[in-house]
Each structure stands twice: as structure tokens, then as C-alpha cells.
Amino acid sequence: MDIIPDIKNNITFEDFKAEVLNDYAIAVRSRECSLLGRREVLTGKAKFGIFGDGKEVPQLAMAKAFKKGDWRSGYYRDQTFMMAIGEFTVNHFFSGLYANTNLELEPMSAGRQMGGHFVTHSLDEKGSWKDLTKQYNSSADISPTAAQMPRLLGLAQASKIYRNLSEINSSKFSVNGNEVAWGTIGNASTSEGLFFETVNAAGVLQVPMIISVWDDEYGISVHAKHQTTKENISEILKGFQRDKDNKGYEILRVKGWDYPNLIETYQEAATIAREEHVPVLVHVQELTQPQGHSTSGSHERYKSKERLEWEAENDCNKKMREWIIESGIAENEALIELERSIKKEVREAKKNAWDVFLKPIRKEQQELLGILQNLASTHPNGVFINKLKDSLAKIHEPTRKDILSHARKVLRFTIGDNSKEKEILANWITKNIEESQPKFSSHLYAETDKSALNVKEVKATYSDDAIQVDGRVILRDNFDAIFNKYPEALIFGEDTGNIGDVNQGLEGLQEKYGELRIADAGIREATIVGQGIGMALRGLRPIAEIQYLDYVLYALQIISDDLATLQYRTKGMQKAPLIVRTRGHRLEGIWHSGSPMGGILNLVRGIYILVPRNMVKAAGFYNTLLQSDDPALVIECLNGYRLKEKMPDNLSNIRTAVGLVETLREGTDITLVSYGSTLRIVMETAKELLTVGIDAEVIDVQSLLPFDINHDIAKSIAKTNNVLIIDEDVPGGASAYILNEILNVQNAYQYLDGQPRTLTAKAHRPAYGNDGDYFSKPSAEDIFEAVYDAMHELSPNDFPKLR
């Protein structure tokens, strides 16, 4: 049975009254949660609160037009909407506020996000898709302002894809592309570039998307006059309004306290978007924020007395209440009774959620107190142990941190003790950490059998008469096989479609597979990635192309905050197996030859970063990823498209293993570690080193995230006792990351006879031209001399100083 009533059909006045009163009850319940939630933060039970008060009534109207199969990409004030569609309860609200790590009790994020961030579960416990057409869907929220917008574009575009490409099996994802993507955003956040980029792209693509702007005139303390030209977002977007000659948006305005008009407006918006596939902007004005922005401060500090009085008078819940009485739907006494019962319900739910949250933690507390009691009774340091035990016992509402911290401090008083009681404590601590840590750290990557780590390597095979072709041809032919094999696969980006990308790795494929699957996009990197995230959330297999690695910086916030955290922040309940394709490394000039790998590596944990040295390896990575669920960034070598490579016999079946290195040359004197375009220079230099008696082993990293999961580099260093990492990132960038992995994860320091060394690019961006490259990034001579110097350090007689 649908939770959202069907208001399009004729209903009796009694049914209408019941529906209205049910809506009002949801609004009151949501408001009471906000009020009590703030108190819980101020009393210290919760860390932070950001609530949906003042936005209740328009969200009720939006919920009525929202259908199963639809998607939300929202704003952290949408709790009333989520309650109205039946996906969020009072117990969920308080469990989220207390950061309960039990996913059943706190299904929004298992305590990993602050309250106000909502999600529905797209996957079952095995990581397989549920039938998304039979449930209300919300993509997982994030806090960065306007960052929900790029994803919204992709959620809407998926409907267009499903409507127009009948060969895709859409049984769990779409019914004829009739689904609408609903976005919500605060008025102040419309100042962000991500909002405008998304609005423009949706207007170009003509996708079924509805953006609701909740307008309360403020962005925290900053008034709209400092945020928006004319203080009115719908006014300045008038140029996007469609007309009989031009496609564009339908722009609607409505007062946020006007319940009947809100319902009518949202029904109109839904009809336009669903049937015509036209984007709609709904500007919801005259909203309030009764408790201010969040629990971090009071809005009385920055709002005038007149504004505060206006907000009290025009509160949407108050206005709806007045309308109910004026319309004869209910009398004041009945509403008072309803409000009282809801207040009691919310208070009881709050108490229950807190008790349920504390119960397992208190159990751990009592377990530890018993262990400490036994230890103190027999230990020479029993006085000190008892002090810590008594300190822990006095904590009436403990956290896991309180318990484990006390246990580990006690352990310090048992140094040198081999008693059974000490062993019991040590084992308890180890077990507690092993059980607790995954509650906060799991699901950064796929943990199902669909993990990319489970895809076995299939090496390229070659016939004796294998032809030599440009690297781009290998990519092109492999992409051709991919799009033929996977109807749900598509690729899009700047110059991706008509000309087949700037390096012609997709040459002729748009003509073969059509403009929807091999598509050009505007110059708008953030929303190109957003398209990919949204479509991947809906079961498609998108490849989002960013023209150059340097341009990934435009989209890095979306990759980092949204894509890379998705599986983690939903504890594996949503997935977006997006492939971001780009090209980088050595060429000429500041903007097209950067390798900002260190920054990327440290910002995108949660996706894989793959750095193939040639196009055969790149093709293998694409084939691997399409058999798995993990998102990835694949960086092709920008100077490799015209280099000749042998055409494999088994091109479409090649699988490059994620997380494995490859030893390209075996040697005995030093291990050289590199990747990408620089690897070719390393290989050439290794041959030259033989002329001076140095036998170098060369290892291709291939996969930066994850990194060398079999620790093959450490095995190599155990043989050579020497290592040099060559990288074209700046000093302290990817080379520092690689060195940390080798020394601190693989523990290869124990095999070294000399200083582990790195050779990187200079600290600046590369200068233009051949000489610019030579003096900016590691050259063959730089590598030769760095290796020679390392060998000179170990054996100065055999390798006299060069200079």
C-alpha cells in the first residue's frame, strides 16, 4: 500500500479531511523532532544538529507528487519529506542524532553522518540491486553546499536513457523512463557554481528533473541581498523559461506556507517533468527557520526583531493550522489533542532511542569493570588500576571511547606482567577493537563478490604476426567491444562524441552506437562526473570522460565528497560503479601535462586510481571494472595514443588486475618503481645502466589505489636491498605515498642497505616545450644519475662519484 495518498482521484470530503490531518500530524511530528533534537545537542547527548524546521509544509506537497521509482537528491533539511514517504521515522531521527552504528536502527548511515542526511537502500545484503521501480528512492546526501546538484543531473538523465534505449534491461531500474529526479536546495546555496552548472546542463539535456529551492532569505547569517542578484533566484533564471520556440525550464513560484497551492504546484511540476521530460524549477518562497541554521548558534544574533516577528507569524506549520480551522477540517480543540499526543510520542521515541543506543555500550562497560576488578585484586599496581576502574564506573552514559580508553590506560600498569588476568584484559581490548573498528571503517570499497579485487587477471596474448597499431586503435577497438557487449554502458565528455575524443580513442563509435551512448558534453567537469554518479546509482554503467588530468581538479570535490564516500556513508547500501576516464602525465605546458597525483590520492580514498603504462593495460582495466562494482579513475598516458603497440588476439577478454604491480625487468642491484609515461624512460635508462655495471629491476605500479596488495615491491627490495621511486608529481606527492606504502605497510625498510630515494618533478608545474619538460620532470639522465648515486653510496670504489 502506498504511503503517499493518491489525490488525483475523486475522494470524499471525509477522506480529504483525514488526509489533511495526516499531513498536519507529519508536520507536527517533524517539528517536534527538530525541537527536541536541538535540546539533545545542547545537553551533550548528541554532537551536532541541523534540522528541517520551517520547511515542513512544502515537503508534504512534494511528497504527494513523488512516486515509486522516483529519486531524490537533496538538502539536509528534508526530514519531513522523508517522513511523508515513509522512509524515515522518529526512532530513525534520534538514532541518527546519537550516531547509532546499527544500520537497522539508523538506516540513513549507521551513524557515519550527522543527522539530516538521508538515503534509501538500493542494494540487498549481498550487494545486488533491489527493484528500484517499486520503492521510493533517495540518493545519499552529503553536506557540502550544492554538491547534491551534479548527481541530480545524472539521476534525471537515466530516465531519458531508459526511455530512449529499449535494448537495455531496465526491469529493476525504470518503467519507460517515467521517473522524475527531485532535487532540493537552500536558496543561499544557489550561489554556488555547481547549482548554475547543473541548471544549465539540465536545460541543454532536457531531462525530467524538478529543483525545489527552499527560500528562507538567509544562508546561515548572510541575507539574500548578499547572496543573489535581485535577491530572487527564480527572477534571475527567467532566461531559462521555455517558450514556444525554445526549449528550457518551466519555472514555478509558490508560497511555502500555502498548503493547497503547494499541492497544486507540485502536481503541475510533476506532470510536466514526468510526461514531457522537461526540467522544472519550483521556487518556494516565504519560508522560515525557527531555530536558526543549526545548533552551532542562535539566529537571534543576526535577524532583526521585525524579521523574527514575521517568522513567528508566517511559520508554515502555524499557517497550515490556521487554514485547517478556517476550512472546517478540524477545530482547535481537536488539533490541540493531536499535537499533545504527538509530543508524547516523540518524547517516548527519544527516550527509547537513547536507551537502545546505550544498552550495548553499557554491557561493554560492565564486562570491562569485571575484568578490571579481577586484575586489580591480584596486581601490585592494583591501587592505580582501581582508580581507573572507579573512574569508568562513575560514567553514567559512557561512550565506546570512554570504555576503550580506560582499558588501554590500565594496560600500561601491567607492563612486564604475564598473569592470566593481564592476558584476559589484553585479549578483551584486542577483540573490542576488532569488533568496533568496522562499525566506523567498513565499506570504503565494495565488500561483496563484486569487488574489483575479485576479477582475475587475463594477460594479453599475441600471434607471431601481430600487427603494430597506434595505441588509440587498441582503445577504440576495445571500447567498441564494450559497447557491443554492455547495452547499459555509455560514455560522455568534452569532444567525446562527434570526433571520438581528442585523441580518437572513440573514433566512429557515435555513428555506430548513437548520440545517447557516445555523447558530447559541455565544458563542465563537475556535472560530467555528476551525470556519471547519478546514472550509475540507477543501474547504468557510465564512463565519464574528463579531457585532461589537470581538469579533474574542476570535479575533484564531487569525486571526493560524493563518489568516493558513497559506499562508505551508506555502509554498502548504495553503489555507483562509475568509471572516470582521463589522460595525463607528460606532454608540454602547465595545464596539459600535470600529474597532481599526491593531491588526488589523498582526497579520493574510496575509488580506485589506475595508472596503466600503455593502452593494452588501459583496455584491460576498463574490462575489469565493468565486471565489478567499484568506481575508479583511469589515467591513460597522454603521449601514448600515437605510440605503436601490438594488437592482442584476445583484446576484449584482457583483464588487468587491480592492486597488482608488474615486474617489467628483473635485476639484482636496485629496484626502480614508477608508473605511467615516466615508466618508458625508466625502462630505457635501465638498459643504459647496464653499461656501467648496474642491473636494475623495474616495477610498474599500475594501480595506486589499491597499492601492491601482494607486497611484490618488498619482495624485490629483499633481493636488491635498494630502491628508487621515480614519479612526475611534485616532491612529497605520489612518491611520498608510494614510499610510505613500501616502508610502513610492506615493512621493506628491513631489507634496505641504503637510503630509500625518490626522484620527482620539480615543485612547479612543467614549463612548455621539450626543454621545459627536461628541466621540469625526471629525465633519463636524472634517473641514471640518481641510480648511480645510490650505488655510489653503497660501493664508492665500484662506482666512483660522477660529478
Side-chain angles (χ1 to χ4, degrees), residues 672-795:
L672 305 182
V673 179
S674 190
Y675 62 89
S677 296
T678 300
L679 196 68
R680 299 191 198 102
I681 304 174
V682 174
M683 285 293 287
E684 293 167 4
T685 306
K687 296 176 185 177
E688 296 171 2
L689 287 166
L690 286 172
T691 64
V692 293
I694 299 173
D695 187 14
E697 184 147 299
V698 179
I699 295 180
D700 180 7
V701 168
Q702 297 195 110
S703 172
L704 285 165
L705 284 177
F707 183 86
D708 188 13
I709 58 179
N710 290 338
H711 294 190
D712 288 328
I713 295 175
K715 295 170 188 173
S716 172
I717 295 171
K719 177 175 62 172
T720 66
N721 309 117
N722 211 347
V723 66
L724 172 66
I725 299 160
I726 305 101
D727 173 49
E728 58 177 303
D729 195 6
V730 296
S735 60
Y737 162 79
I738 293 171
L739 186 60
N740 177 71
E741 288 285 322
I742 292 171
L743 297 184
N744 293 324
V745 178
Q746 301 187 9
N747 295 320
Y749 63 87
Q750 60 189 315
Y751 307 123
L752 289 168
D753 290 340
Q755 173 190 347
R757 297 170 181 249
T758 63
L759 176 62
T760 69
K762 298 299 185 289
H764 53 74
R765 297 283 184 94
Y768 175 64
N770 290 335
D771 286 345
D773 178 87
Y774 189 82
F775 287 97
S776 298
K777 293 194 173 186
S779 66
E781 289 72 35
D782 293 330
I783 297 167
F784 186 100
E785 292 174 9
V787 173
Y788 192 91
D789 286 347
M791 297 303 295
H792 168 72
E793 176 189 310
L794 293 175
S795 183

Side-chain angles (χ1 to χ4, degrees), residues 443-447 450-453 529 532-533 536-537 541-542 558-560 562-569 574-581 604-610 621 624-626 628-634 658 703 705-706:
H443 293 88
L444 185 59
Y445 298 93
E447 296 187 4
K450 298 179 181 66
S451 166
L453 299 179
V529 171
I533 296 171
L537 279 165
R541 293 308 306 255
I558 295 300
I559 296 173
S560 176
D562 197 354
L563 181 62
T565 67
L566 179 66
Q567 292 192 89
Y568 170 75
R569 71 181 189 268
Q574 287 192 345
K575 62 183 177 182
L578 168 65
I579 300 171
V580 180
R581 178 197 183 204
V604 303
R605 303 300 169 95
I607 73 170
Y608 290 148
I609 299 182
L610 309 176
F621 274 135
T624 293
L625 292 169
L626 284 163
S628 69
D629 271 354
D630 286 298
L633 173 67
V634 181
V658 169
S703 172
L705 284 177

Side-chain angles (χ1 to χ4, degrees), residues 32-49 51 93-94 97-98 291 295 346-347 349-351 353-355 397:
E32 193 63 22
C33 285
S34 297
L35 297 173
L36 285 185
R38 182 179 180 85
R39 293 178 197 170
E40 291 300 275
V41 174
L42 298 179
T43 60
K45 286 184 177 179
K47 293 287 288 185
F48 183 77
F51 309 116
F93 175 91
F94 287 105
L97 199 63
Y98 303 140
Q291 298 188 114
T295 54
V346 174
R347 284 196 303 270
K350 173 183 73 70
K351 181 180 183 302
W354 181 245
D355 290 343
E397 295 176 337

